Every structure is written in C-alpha cells, then in structure tokens.
Amino acid sequence: MKINRRRRLIKTFNLLDQPIRFNPFVFSRTFFMWAFTGVVGGTIAGGYWIVLEHFTEFLAEFQGWMVIPIMAVCGLLAGLVIHFIGDPGEIHLIVNNIRFNKGKLEPKNNPSMILSSLFCVASGGSLGPEAPLVQVTGSTGTWLGKIFRLKGEELRSLSIAGMASGFTALFGAPLGGSLFSLEILHHKHAVEYYRAIIPALVASCFSYVMFALIIHLGIGATWDLKAYHYSGVYDFICAFLFGVVATIFGWIFIFVVKFFKKVFEYRSFPIYIKTLVGGIILGVIAYNFPITRYFGHHEINELINGNFALNFLIIILIFKIIAIAVTVTSGWRGGFIIPLFFVGTTLGLIIHQLFPSVDTTLAIVSCMAAINACVTRTPMSTTIILGTLTGFTYFVPILFASLTGYFLAPKIPFIGSQSEKLSEE
C-alpha cells in the first residue's frame, strides 16, 4: 500500500515526465562561473580605468608645443614595450582567436597590452581603451575556463563572456556590451556562437556592478545631447539619409586606413620606430587641433556644447579621421569605436549647420550609428549602446541608421577576421 502511494506521489510531482531533481532552479554551477568571470572582469576594468584616468591627467599637464614631444615619447615607449615584452595584437587577433583558435585568448600578452595601451590612450592617441579591456578580460575568461577545466564551446563561451564584461564596463550597457561581443565576431551571423548569449549577459551584469562600485559610476547618458522629440514617420527617412552620408564617410575612413597602412608597411622598420613616427604625426595634429586629441569620451561633449563654425567642423572631421587612421596603422594600441562616434558627432553637427531645420540630436545619433555599423558590422549592439550613452530612447531611428550603415558597408569587412575562413575543427 505504501509503495503504491509513493508511486502515485512521484507521478503527481513528475509533471514534465522528467525524473525529480533536488535543484528546482535553472541556475547551477555554471551560473556562478559566469558571474565570477563578470566580477573579475569588472574589477580589472575598474582598476585599468582608474590608472588610465590618473595617467591621462598627468600627461594632460603638458600643453602647447609640448604635446608633440610627449606623444612622440609615449609612442616610442609603447613601441619598446611591444618590441621587448611581446606583440599583444589588435581586435583582428582577438576575433581570429575566438573563431579559429577554439576560443582561446592568451593571457601571456596582457602585460604588453596593458602597458602599451596606457601610453597610447593616456597620451592622446585617437584610440579608446575598449580593445585593451576586451583583450585582458577575454583572456581572463579563457584562463578561468582552463581552471574550471572547460573545453570546446564552454571554454569559448567563457572567453566571450569575459570579452562582454570588458565591453560592458566601458560602455555601461550590459545588454549592448553582450551583443557587441557576439556581433563583432562575424560580419554576417550575429549569433554564430549563440551558446554564449546567456553567459555574456550574466558576466556583463556582474561586471557592470563591479565597475560602477569601483569608479562610482552613475546611471544616465554620457553625452549631453538635447532631448529628441519624435515628429513623425519622416524621421525614419531622415535617419536613413543621415545613415547614407555617414556610411560614405565610413568608406572614406576605411580607405584612409588602408592608405596609411601601406605607408607604414612600405619599409620594414621596427615597431618602436613606427610608433614614434605615429606619435610625432599625432602630436602635430593635436597641437593644431586640440579637440582631436584623445579618443573622444569627453571631447564629444565639447563638440556638442561648443558653437563651432562650419569650416572648423569640416577641418576637425578630416583631421580626426586622419588621426584615427595613423593611430591604428602606426602600431598604437586601442580601439576605434568611440573615436568613430566622435566622427559621427562631427558629421551630424555639419549636417545641422548645412540644414538648420534638421533635428541635431537625430542627425548626430544617426551618423554615430551608421559609421560604426559600417566599420564594425554591429547594427544591433550599436543601437543599444548608443541609446544608453546618449539617452536617445527611441531605438527605431537609430536602428534604421545602423542597418543602413551595415548593408551599405564594403563587402569585405574592415576587421578581416570577421569574414569566412576555414573552421578550426
């Protein structure tokens, strides 16, 4: 009798035709593993950001013509770090390792990446800290995965989760940072590694909390754009047209980068000679146009709040593109996402100067979205990240501009490792 009752009880609770398990929750050991990766990633990002801010403040004391020797020396020191400690690679290598090296990012290159990027970013190079952060936090994910004895897709997913924690710390957007770490891996298939979506989201959330606690990050827009008021369906058409204009400049940026790449690769000089020459060129540009110095985190607000003439904005647009291209091709280390947002901001202000009836905020955000989506092939995450950074809550116009940049981008992606290659399997 008792046996029959137990059988009926088991059948009653076994509603899903599955054996009864003691753990009634979805999360398990893997959840804590992803969370721990995010905590470690956020801590690393917070420490890096604090050091970067203090170093930047120290080097910012040198003004006027002193900018040229300071950037030249920092370029030389960054090149010497890379020459003697090891080449940490760039975003191309990160994407390549995730896709074709079974998701493994080597931590051995982290000291070189941290030191060289600090010299490059703090001295005023037109590259941001996103690539160094992603390299370090992603390789930390790989290292933790080996400690947890993960293999295959689980190891790759933890590496991507580490990357997401780095993106999130910089952009302050857990959802956008998660999607960015997935989208940037392929120029067509945004969810090629769909198994990493939840790990990336979990790691991003915990990374964001840790980063916010360390640097006392507030919740709100980073850039002071005016409030946007939706005026009808025509706004979508405007966003598309702004996107077309920005995509043209995305193509120009790609061709300028290729030109300077040929220039710096014309002769086989040591890396520290290239970074030295790059520093001199960047110093000359920064001396003549100080707003082009640095990666644009604070300078975008200067552009938005300043009342600059049309001619000056055009000059800034030209020399900022040149500055980013020189920084990328001369061996300086960093990421070009926020610098591209700076270019998009300048372009949006130029459009507003030419057509005063155009909504400034819509023009700026649309240009930001399109040029970044054109170069990085990340339309979804770009939309979410810009919504967070600008406070632009109407996602649809940004998405129209992002998709415009994405579909009108060159067939061969700027980040070469995003394209199809032989699988590592």
Side-chain angles (χ1 to χ4, degrees):
M1 189 68 179
K2 290 183 179 180
I3 294 176
N4 291 334
R5 284 181 182 177
R6 288 179 181 176
R7 287 177 177 173
R8 285 198 298 270
L9 187 63
I10 290 174
K11 289 180 180 180
T12 302
F13 283 105
N14 193 8
L15 300 177
L16 297 177
D17 195 25
Q18 295 290 334
I20 296 176
R21 300 186 185 279
F22 292 103
N23 183 3
F25 303 108
V26 173
F27 71 82
S28 59
R29 182 181 73 94
T30 53
F31 170 85
F32 295 103
M33 188 168 55
W34 304 332
F36 183 67
T37 301
V39 169
V40 174
T43 304
I44 291 172
Y48 179 91
W49 187 264
I50 289 173
V51 174
L52 177 63
E53 281 195 325
H54 283 86
F55 195 27
T56 303
E57 289 174 6
F58 170 73
L59 294 178
E61 296 294 327
F62 300 93
Q63 300 290 333
W65 65 269
M66 285 295 293
V67 169
I68 300 174
I70 282 296
M71 295 191 72
V73 170
C74 285
L76 175 62
L77 291 174
L80 290 172
V81 167
I82 295 170
H83 179 75
F84 287 108
I85 300 181
D87 189 349
E90 299 173 348
I91 191 67
H92 302 265
L93 181 62
I94 296 173
V95 175
N96 187 75
N97 285 342
I98 289 292
R99 296 190 62 208
F100 309 112
N101 190 30
K102 300 181 179 179
K104 298 176 183 177
L105 298 176
E106 294 298 333
K108 65 180 181 181
N109 295 324
N110 286 349
S112 176
M113 175 60 88
I114 291 171
L115 288 174
S116 61
S117 65
L118 282 173
F119 282 117
C120 295
V121 178
S123 63
S126 288
L127 289 179
E130 60 268 25
L133 280 179
V134 169
Q135 165 67 32
V136 174
T137 56
S139 60
T140 301
T142 300
W143 177 68
L144 291 173
K146 291 179 179 178
I147 290 178
F148 297 136
R149 297 181 179 179
L150 301 182
K151 294 181 180 179
E153 287 302 320
E154 287 187 337
L155 178 60
R156 194 199 310 269
S157 294
L158 202 64
S159 298
I160 294 174
M163 289 174 57
S165 70
F167 276 125
T168 295
L170 178 66
F171 296 126
L175 181 57
S178 303
L179 283 176
F180 202 98
S181 65
L182 292 164
E183 272 193 300
I184 203 168
L185 297 176
H186 200 287
H187 72 297
K188 288 182 179 179
H189 311 308
V191 288
E192 182 180 14
Y193 304 110
Y194 60 90
R195 296 182 185 178
I197 292 177
I198 298 300
L201 284 171
V202 173
S204 292
C205 289
F206 280 87
S207 172
Y208 178 75
V209 171
M210 288 304 301
F211 188 74
L213 287 173
I214 292 172
I215 71 164
H216 306 292
L217 180 70
I219 296 177
T222 302
W223 298 315
D224 306 325
L225 290 171
K226 296 178 181 178
Y228 163 73
H229 300 286
Y230 175 68
S231 59
V233 180
Y234 292 108
D235 282 5
F236 302 142
I237 299 175
C238 289
F240 164 73
L241 294 175
F242 299 151
V244 171
V245 175
T247 304
I248 292 172
F249 279 87
W251 279 70
I252 292 172
F253 167 75
I254 292 171
F255 280 115
V256 172
V257 169
K258 289 183 177 180
F259 169 77
F260 279 103
K261 187 176 181 180
K262 290 181 180 178
V263 170
F264 281 102
E265 291 181 352
Y266 182 71
R267 291 287 179 89
S268 181
F269 291 109
I271 183 67
Y272 50 84
I273 299 297
K274 294 180 181 180
T275 54
L276 171 63
V277 173
I280 294 171
I281 297 172
L282 293 171
V284 171
I285 295 174
Y287 170 68
N288 289 282
F289 309 103
I291 200 170
T292 63
R293 193 181 179 192
Y294 302 110
F295 63 97
H297 184 72
H298 300 293
E299 290 68 32
I300 287 176
N301 275 333
E302 289 184 33
L303 272 178
I304 294 170
N305 297 322
N307 188 21
F308 299 110
L310 177 62
N311 291 342
F312 181 77
L313 289 173
I314 293 173
I315 293 172
I316 291 301
L317 178 67
I318 294 170
F319 279 97
K320 187 62 177 179
I321 290 176
I322 294 173
I324 301 171
V326 170
T327 312
V328 169
T329 56
S330 64
W332 283 46
R333 292 298 182 259
F336 45 79
I337 297 166
I338 294 182
L340 286 176
F341 287 158
F342 180 97
V343 173
T345 302
T346 311
L347 187 57
L349 291 171
I350 290 173
I351 292 174
H352 177 69
Q353 291 262 14
L354 293 173
F355 306 98
S357 60
V358 164
D359 185 283
T360 313
T361 300
L362 180 63
I364 289 174
V365 175
S366 297
C367 289
M368 280 178 159
I371 193 168
N372 188 67
C374 173
V375 176
T376 64
R377 309 296 180 93
T378 56
M380 292 190 299
S381 53
T382 294
T383 302
I384 297 171
I385 288 171
L386 279 177
T388 303
L389 292 176
T390 63
F392 196 100
T393 55
Y394 297 87
F395 278 6
V396 179
I398 310 179
L399 187 57
F400 266 67
S402 293
L403 289 174
T404 300
Y406 176 77
F407 285 109
L408 296 183
K411 188 173 183 180
I412 300 175
F414 176 72
I415 302 174
S417 48
Q418 288 180 327
S419 60
E420 300 286 356
K421 289 184 181 179
L422 292 175
S423 174
E424 78 276 9
E425 301 300 334

